[in-house]
């Protein structure tokens, strides 16, 4: 009599995507809420803030001056301390490639732009 093979657990869907092994940031594969616990390199990390879909989060704690890698390529420099699991965006990351713009008070134009 042939026995049925043991059931195989489906692969666990990660909420965060690592684009390259060298990266020190991860990409949110879905919208995440502040307080959600995510797995980062086998360590449960509680998110300090909500993370929108597609945003970068720190894979490790980063100090000002640290270089951020995405797709294995340098994308910018950290400008303020960033906790593991916190968002990396224009408030704490300056692009090393193009000017980093933020929205002006009218929330329609970029500071530094003429549009």
């Amino acid at each position: 009599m042939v026995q049925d093979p043991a059931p195989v657990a489906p692969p666990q869907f990660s909420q965060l995507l690592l684009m390259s092994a060298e990266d020190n940031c991860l990409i949110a594969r879905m919208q995440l809420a502040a307080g959600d616990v995510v797995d980062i390199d086998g360590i449960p990390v509680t998110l300090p803030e909500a993370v929108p879909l597609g945003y970068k989060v720190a894979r490790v704690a980063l100090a000002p001056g640290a270089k951020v890698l995405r797709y294995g390529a340098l994308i910018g420099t950290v400008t303020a301390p960033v906790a593991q699991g916190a968002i990396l965006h224009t408030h704490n990351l300056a692009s090393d490639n193009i000017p980093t713009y933020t929205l002006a008070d009218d929330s329609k134009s970029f500071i530094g732009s003429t549009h």
Side-chain angles (χ1 to χ4, degrees), residues 20-114:
S20 177
E22 303 86 26
D23 292 354
N24 54 4
C25 70
L26 302 158
I27 311 305
R29 296 178 72 177
M30 62 189 67
Q31 185 167 328
L32 301 166
D36 281 356
V37 177
V38 296
D39 179 284
I40 298 180
D41 296 329
I43 300 167
V45 175
T46 302
L47 297 177
E49 58 198 326
V51 180
L53 170 69
Y55 270 58
K56 297 176 295 299
V57 299
R59 187 175 177 190
V60 296
L62 299 166
K67 298 297 183 179
V68 176
L69 297 173
R70 181 176 177 183
Y71 303 108
L74 176 65
I75 62 166
T77 302
V78 174
T79 59
V82 181
Q84 184 181 34
I87 291 176
L88 284 161
H89 201 53
T90 56
H91 66 288
N92 58 14
L93 179 65
S95 173
D96 284 359
N97 304 303
I98 59 173
T100 300
Y101 296 105
T102 56
L103 288 177
D105 290 337
D106 65 8
S107 295
K108 295 180 181 149
S109 63
F110 291 106
I111 294 172
S113 72
T114 58

